[in-house]
Amino acid sequence: MSKVRSLQLIILSMIILSFLFPFIGQASTKNSDNDKRSDRITIQLEAGSNKDEMPSVSFKHDLHTQAVDGKCETCHTEKDKAFIFKFKRTGKKASMDFYHDGCVTCHIEKKAAKEPAGPITAECRACHIEGKSKGTSWEEIKFDKSLHFIHESSELIKGKDDSIKENCNSCHHEYNEKTKEIFYVKGQEESCFYCHKSEKHDDIRPIGEASHDSCVKCHQTFKSQNIAAGPTTCEGCHDKQEQQKIKKIADVPRLKRNQPDIIAITGWEKSSQTTKNYMNAVAFDHKFHEEKAQSCKACHHETLKKCDDCHGTEGGESKGGFVSLEQAMHEKDSTRSCVGCHKEFTKNSDCAGCHFQVRANKDNSESCKTCHSLELTQLAAMEPSKVAKTALKAKSSHYNPVQIDKIPENIVIDILAKEYKPSSFPHRKMVQAIFKRVEKSNMAKAFHIDQAGLCMGCHHNSPKTLEPPKCASCHNKNGPVTDGKSDGRPGLKGAYHGQCITCHEKMQVKTVAATDCAKCHEEKK
């Protein structure tokens, strides 16, 4: 009986300890198989017909690199002074036995040498774990303008053709379908992503495999010659903290691609019909937009050719997904379109106070004229790019400011004053603050050439005028319901609060908190 009681006490003690110290016996999170790592890759064989196949293996690459003291030849085959990024093979198909012979054999050797080692034969579930958290912290590396320039300007990186001064051909190439060989065409360099997608397609290698073969192989070659080079580990490129250590060039010279500075986007060049029913052409500052974009891919999403090469005809073409040029330039939900990209900028704190209420629409003829300003007669009389350049230069001189004394200094809002005193609104001060915010943005100045148009930010359904109608002209004092029906408009109180409070929040106005009623409405005593 005493033995039974002793056993019960032991079990009870273990239960209590498990509550007080729940992590006893567990490995630390940092070293567990579920910790977040940038080097975690998945080893997955081609699916067979057996439904009972083992789960894929989550493999910690950098951990194994450290275990073999950085000797890549332990796992990878060397060819042409570089390593093949497949496990011990150059064309041989991977199989379960192939991996088991390589991995388990190495683990057994490590254990025999009394070194840290991985699982061995019969410990299948140590690697093949069903539903195991991947715990990846892998971050895509952005090959931005700065990183591109570092490679482009390097004297160590040599091109494959000594007759060409630039080293662009060391990375950029075209592919000949007939000869199955790559070749280089000067002046036609494009992003690797245009051919190498995230997944393999049309027998073209995915971007991950292509970049590892090219970038890591190059880095390894330099390091084998004791030359400083980029990373050769997963962490070096795909860890967020390591990415922040990469050198940044502040003023990157413009990419050399024979691209235009300024162009006239007509939209009618490929049409066989008369041009009289088309919109005026657009003067587009390509150089300015190029400087602001992270890369050419921001706009040129499938190729570096002109937009109308894929979207040039009415109704679109098959190679452009039957998206017309008008749709491509005006799609509100695509950051690759002009309107969609501009829409993203209206979300910043200097613009959102007005634009949360006033949304872009095609009925705004004034907005259309901001871009569509080049008439056919102008283009016929002079070379289009020169017309566009003249128009952009003249646009800055057409700024039409409002005379400050025309703006009411203070406005007293008393129509709803009951529990609080009338609100004294510093109208002129607020308008001037908006003017200053607009001055900070070249895009905002381009679309707000006439300062009077900024009044429509608050007076959102009013015509452009310095004497807009009062809010009560559209919003009912007694609420949103009129004659027992609601037309969707808020009542006057809701309109005031919705406009003012939301604007303060969007524009991050700290001096007047949204919940500070007495700041605007002094309470009656």
Side-chain angles (χ1 to χ4, degrees):
M1 189 71 176
S2 60
K3 289 183 179 180
V4 174
R5 287 180 178 175
S6 298
L7 183 60
Q8 289 175 339
L9 286 172
I10 291 171
I11 294 172
L12 180 62
S13 300
M14 291 176 67
I15 293 172
I16 292 172
L17 284 170
S18 70
F19 280 104
L20 293 175
F21 305 100
F23 304 110
I24 289 179
Q26 296 183 19
S28 67
T29 304
K30 184 175 181 180
N31 297 318
S32 73
D33 202 41
N34 291 329
D35 63 313
K36 290 189 174 183
R37 306 176 63 94
S38 58
D39 66 329
R40 195 183 295 277
I41 62 175
T42 301
I43 300 176
Q44 175 71 66
L45 300 178
E46 292 183 10
S49 58
N50 188 354
K51 65 178 181 180
D52 296 323
E53 287 179 346
M54 296 289 282
S56 60
V57 174
S58 185
F59 180 78
K60 301 175 182 178
H61 190 277
D62 286 354
L63 189 69
H64 286 75
T65 304
Q66 294 166 11
V68 297
D69 298 323
K71 297 175 182 177
C72 302
E73 63 271 18
T74 306
C75 300
H76 298 284
T77 302
E78 190 173 4
K79 183 180 179 182
D80 299 330
K81 296 182 180 181
F83 294 102
I84 305 299
F85 291 94
K86 292 184 183 296
F87 179 60
K88 289 189 174 180
R89 65 190 194 278
T90 56
K92 188 186 297 183
K93 190 174 181 181
S95 65
M96 179 187 72
D97 292 336
F98 182 78
Y99 274 107
H100 283 182
D101 289 344
C103 300
V104 177
T105 300
C106 181
H107 294 173
I108 292 173
E109 291 174 354
K110 287 285 182 183
K111 282 197 173 184
K114 295 183 179 180
E115 297 178 14
I120 57 176
T121 307
E123 295 179 350
C124 307
R125 292 293 176 177
C127 293
H128 300 276
I129 303 175
E130 186 70 47
K132 178 171 65 70
S133 169
K134 302 302 179 190
T136 180
S137 62
W138 184 92
E139 293 275 345
E140 180 183 356
I141 186 168
K142 303 292 185 184
F143 200 75
D144 56 15
K145 294 175 184 176
S146 172
L147 201 52
H148 183 276
F149 177 70
I150 290 173
H151 287 75
E152 177 193 2
S153 60
S154 172
E155 295 182 355
L156 296 172
I157 300 175
K158 305 295 183 182
K160 297 183 177 72
D161 187 343
D162 295 334
S163 65
I164 301 175
K165 183 180 179 181
E166 296 83 7
N167 63 9
C168 304
N169 65 343
S170 62
C171 299
H172 292 279
H173 57 256
E174 301 283 334
Y175 183 71
N176 189 318
E177 289 286 351
K178 292 182 178 180
T179 63
K180 306 299 180 184
E181 293 177 336
I182 60 174
F183 62 97
Y184 173 72
V185 181
K186 184 176 175 60
Q188 292 189 20
E189 303 86 359
E190 293 193 323
S191 168
C192 308
F193 287 90
Y194 289 153
C195 290
H196 299 279
K197 308 297 182 183
S198 57
E199 301 291 337
K200 182 179 179 180
H201 77 107
D202 297 334
D203 290 330
I204 300 175
R205 295 185 301 166
I207 186 65
E209 186 177 325
S211 57
H212 283 167
D213 271 355
S214 181
C215 306
V216 182
K217 185 181 289 186
C218 182
H219 295 172
Q220 285 177 327
T221 302
F222 278 133
K223 286 192 174 182
S224 67
Q225 301 168 4
N226 294 320
I227 299 173
T232 56
T233 62
C234 306
E235 181 184 60
C237 285
H238 299 294
D239 180 79
K240 194 170 186 177
Q241 292 181 343
E242 292 299 317
Q243 289 177 1
Q244 293 172 353
K245 297 177 184 178
I246 297 174
K247 182 181 177 181
K248 289 287 183 183
I249 307 297
D251 298 316
V252 180
R254 193 180 186 194
L255 288 172
K256 303 167 186 176
R257 193 53 168 70
N258 299 320
Q259 64 271 45
D261 289 350
I262 293 173
I263 59 172
I265 302 176
T266 59
W268 58 63
E269 289 178 328
K270 290 192 175 183
S271 175
S272 59
Q273 301 178 17
T274 177
T275 58
K276 68 178 182 180
N277 294 327
Y278 280 81
M279 289 288 292
N280 286 342
V282 175
F284 182 70
D285 192 335
H286 188 277
K287 184 179 179 181
F288 173 81
H289 286 78
E290 187 182 326
E291 292 168 353
K292 298 298 179 183
Q294 185 183 57
S295 72
C296 302
K297 278 181 79 264
C299 300
H300 298 274
H301 52 102
E302 292 294 338
T303 173
L304 279 184
K305 295 181 175 65
K306 294 198 301 182
C307 302
D308 65 2
D309 187 72
C310 293
H311 306 294
T313 60
E314 291 183 40
E317 302 177 43
S318 59
K319 62 181 177 180
F322 294 102
V323 175
S324 67
L325 187 63
E326 185 275 337
Q327 291 172 318
M329 297 297 185
H330 296 84
E331 175 54 54
K332 296 179 184 178
D333 296 324
S334 172
T335 55
R336 293 192 180 104
S337 81
C338 304
V339 173
C341 182
H342 293 172
K343 178 183 171 184
E344 288 298 307
F345 281 94
T346 65
K347 295 177 182 178
N348 70 48
S349 60
D350 288 331
C351 306
C354 293
H355 283 278
F356 88 92
Q357 190 79 280
V358 182
R359 293 174 174 83
N361 60 74
K362 293 184 179 180
D363 297 327
N364 189 344
S365 60
E366 291 296 319
S367 178
C368 296
K369 291 177 183 178
T370 303
C371 295
H372 293 273
S373 59
L374 307 182
E375 297 180 1
L376 180 60
T377 52
Q378 294 176 285
L379 297 172
M382 190 188 302
E383 202 276 319
S385 62
K386 291 183 179 180
V387 178
K389 187 175 182 179
T390 302
L392 289 171
K393 187 175 181 179
K395 188 175 286 188
S396 60
S397 63
H398 290 172
Y399 194 67
N400 185 21
V402 172
Q403 293 181 9
I404 297 300
D405 59 358
K406 297 288 186 181
I407 304 172
E409 186 170 0
N410 289 291
I411 294 176
V412 177
I413 303 174
D414 59 359
I415 193 168
L416 295 173
K418 290 182 180 179
E419 298 177 9
Y420 295 89
K421 292 181 180 180
S423 176
S424 180
F425 178 56
H427 184 268
R428 183 182 295 174
K429 183 178 178 181
M430 185 275 295
V431 173
Q432 287 178 304
I434 292 175
F435 287 171
K436 286 183 180 179
R437 293 200 183 208
V438 170
E439 286 289 327
K440 291 161 58 177
S441 167
N442 287 324
M443 187 175 75
K445 286 191 290 186
F447 280 89
H448 301 294
I449 292 177
D450 190 346
Q451 278 191 332
L454 292 168
C455 299
M456 298 167 69
C458 292
H459 303 277
H460 50 94
N461 283 322
S462 165
K464 184 171 65 177
T465 173
L466 292 180
E467 296 181 354
K470 294 182 178 181
C471 302
S473 301
C474 298
H475 297 279
N476 194 334
K477 178 181 177 181
N478 297 321
V481 179
T482 305
D483 297 331
K485 296 181 180 180
S486 174
D487 59 5
R489 283 179 289 182
L492 188 57
K493 182 178 179 181
Y496 276 130
H497 287 167
Q499 181 76 30
C500 300
I501 293 174
T502 307
C503 181
H504 286 187
E505 290 176 342
K506 297 284 186 182
M507 301 189 81
Q508 300 176 8
V509 178
K510 306 295 185 182
T511 54
V512 184
T515 54
D516 190 357
C517 303
K519 188 79 173 182
C520 296
H521 310 280
E522 187 180 348
E523 193 172 2
K524 290 181 179 179
K525 297 180 181 179

